[in-house]
Amino acid sequence: MALVSIREQILQHLQTLLQTGQMLVIELSVEDESFRHGRVDSHFKVVAVAELFTTMSPIQRHRWMYQQLDPWLKAGVHALALHLFTPGEWAKVKNTTSPVCRGGEKKGNQ
């Protein structure tokens, strides 16, 4: 049995939320950005565009996503770059690049 990467586990979990109707998503991606920090399975970027977010403030969206991904945070995921948009916001988005890490950035990995 092949091991499933942390990135794939997170993506599958969020897709399961989609399938159960808890999160109607237009766009969903999970990117492992750990290599930028000299680590493995520690830093991830989640881009999600969902109708669900239209009823939430940006802070509520982040709280909601942290709640969904709590098991991975407790298991060692160090950082999540969350890019959470309503469909209207997504139509205007130009960039979802994560900011440079201030605490664990390795020289030459920027």
Side-chain angles (χ1 to χ4, degrees), residues 5-19:
S5 70
I6 300 295
R7 186 201 74 80
E8 191 63 29
Q9 289 175 33
I10 292 170
L11 182 60
Q12 288 175 3
H13 178 69
L14 294 175
Q15 288 172 331
T16 298
L17 290 176
L18 282 171
Q19 294 170 356

Side-chain angles (χ1 to χ4, degrees), residues 29-71:
S29 67
V30 177
E31 184 178 335
D32 186 347
E33 295 184 326
S34 302
F35 68 93
R36 294 176 61 200
H37 309 278
R39 297 180 180 203
V40 176
D41 289 336
S42 63
H43 293 66
F44 295 89
K45 175 171 71 173
V46 176
V47 177
V49 181
E51 289 288 340
L52 171 71
F53 298 145
T54 60
T55 62
M56 298 180 185
S57 71
I59 290 172
Q60 289 171 322
R61 297 173 199 177
H62 281 240
R63 286 179 180 157
W64 183 87
M65 188 62 75
Y66 278 114
Q67 183 180 23
Q68 304 311 311
L69 300 179
D70 186 61

